[in-house]
Amino acid sequence: MTGAGGMTVAETLRDAARALEPVSTTPRLDAELLMAHALGASRSDMLLRHSLDAVPDGFAPLLQRRLLGQPVAQIVGEQEFYGLSFAITPDVLIPRADSETLIEAAREALTGKPPSRILDCGTGPGTLLLAALSIWPQAQGIGIERSPAALAVALGNASRLGMATRADMQAGDWTMPGWADALGRFDLILANPPYVEDADPDLAPDVRAHEPAKALFAGADGLDAYRALVPQVPALLTPGGIALFEIGSRQAAAVTAIALAAGLIATLHSDLAGHPRALLFSKA
């Protein structure tokens, strides 16, 4: 059964992908995700079973929002990360596949010695902490978040993923004195801090316009967050513990220098595209 004007889901996807080319690097995928959401189906189910269906009325307004630059994850309200589905709002940074580099690096480094306590500094929607807890079911974790709106999203994600009793999402700001006084020490510390230069010309316009600035920008050189947080890592690690921080692709040398000055050894990990993505810190 075709929709208005004889257009099927498959035909509409073709046209929508073409329309999205000026605003997206993944126009076909965006169109498919929006269509699946409008149909109330998974993407795979849509492609297998609904290609000849009528186009739902809800698709056009979703497409219009994407054409105006709003990220797909905000439009559909969720994003997958490390096999988990996270609820997403405009108050949180959208999880990206590149950040899975931190989880994979931690998994490799901690083979045979699973962590008991995990800390996520700036947890956002709970991305890194909940992904790590999904790997190590015996672990307990704390997620620190300074944004009340983002903290509410993290709490909701911990509940929906069945980890509310293991993930303690707390209000906190690691730029403030005393924020970690009562936290204790951790076997694994994770962080995807703000690291974008304030005037970065390469930042995608939809990211700049729609994702929270406090989760993105870190001063003129993008290093302010590392200067504040990295020197605090040694006091938070257990003996043999490690920390993994996401970095910008041009920041490895500068963040390594900050780590060395704090008495840490830094090991670089690249993402699947070969770009520098994370630094693993251990005590010297």
Side-chain angles (χ1 to χ4, degrees):
M1 179 179 177
T2 59
M7 293 284 284
T8 64
V9 164
E11 291 166 337
T12 302
L13 284 173
R14 178 199 62 207
D15 291 350
R18 189 176 297 123
L20 286 168
E21 287 176 358
V23 299
S24 173
T25 58
T26 56
R28 176 72 190 195
L29 176 61
D30 290 4
E32 291 175 355
L33 291 171
L34 295 175
M35 184 66 78
H37 185 69
L39 285 165
S42 68
R43 177 170 165 251
S44 59
D45 190 54
M46 175 201 70
L47 294 172
L48 288 171
R49 305 177 190 279
H50 297 283
S51 62
L52 298 181
D53 284 6
V55 178
D57 292 339
F59 176 71
L62 299 180
L63 177 62
Q64 185 60 30
R65 289 167 65 183
R66 184 69 187 109
L67 288 169
L68 292 173
Q70 188 174 13
V72 171
Q74 290 183 7
I75 297 171
V76 304
E78 63 181 3
Q79 177 70 27
E80 183 175 308
F81 181 87
Y82 213 76
L84 305 173
S85 178
F86 288 83
I88 297 300
T89 75
D91 300 303
V92 299
L93 197 68
I94 297 170
R96 288 167 170 81
D98 289 341
S99 298
E100 293 183 0
T101 305
L102 278 73
I103 304 300
E104 284 298 316
R107 193 172 193 167
E108 178 184 348
L110 295 172
T111 299
K113 45 181 179 179
S116 295
R117 302 192 74 226
I118 302 171
L119 175 66
D120 183 6
C121 296
T123 196
T127 309
L128 295 176
L129 177 59
L130 297 175
L133 290 177
S134 75
I135 298 172
W136 294 293
Q138 82 294 339
Q140 296 284 324
I142 295 176
I144 298 298
E145 178 53 56
R146 64 182 174 181
S147 163
L151 183 61
V153 177
L155 286 165
N157 279 324
S159 179
R160 73 182 283 187
L161 293 171
M163 302 186 205
T165 60
R166 299 170 54 219
D168 182 9
M169 303 300 187
Q170 299 184 8
D173 184 344
W174 40 259
T175 66
M176 302 300 292
W179 71 276
D181 286 351
L183 295 182
R185 292 176 179 258
F186 299 87
D187 307 301
L188 173 61
I189 299 173
L190 298 165
N192 181 8
Y195 60 74
V196 179
E197 299 170 12
D198 289 346
D200 186 348
D202 299 324
L203 186 65
D206 58 344
V207 175
R208 185 180 293 275
H210 293 279
E211 296 192 53
K214 286 186 177 181
L216 291 169
F217 300 107
D221 61 1
L223 299 174
D224 286 359
Y226 301 112
R227 294 189 183 101
L229 185 55
V230 172
Q232 302 182 66
V233 167
L236 290 166
L237 284 177
T238 60
I242 62 169
L244 275 149
F245 281 38
E246 183 161 335
I247 59 169
S249 61
R250 299 184 297 271
Q251 294 175 325
V255 180
T256 294
I258 294 170
L260 290 174
L264 293 166
I265 298 169
T267 304
L268 178 64
H269 289 263
S270 297
D271 57 29
L272 292 177
H275 301 133
R277 182 58 56 188
L279 283 171
L280 186 155
F281 303 132
S282 57
K283 291 183 181 179

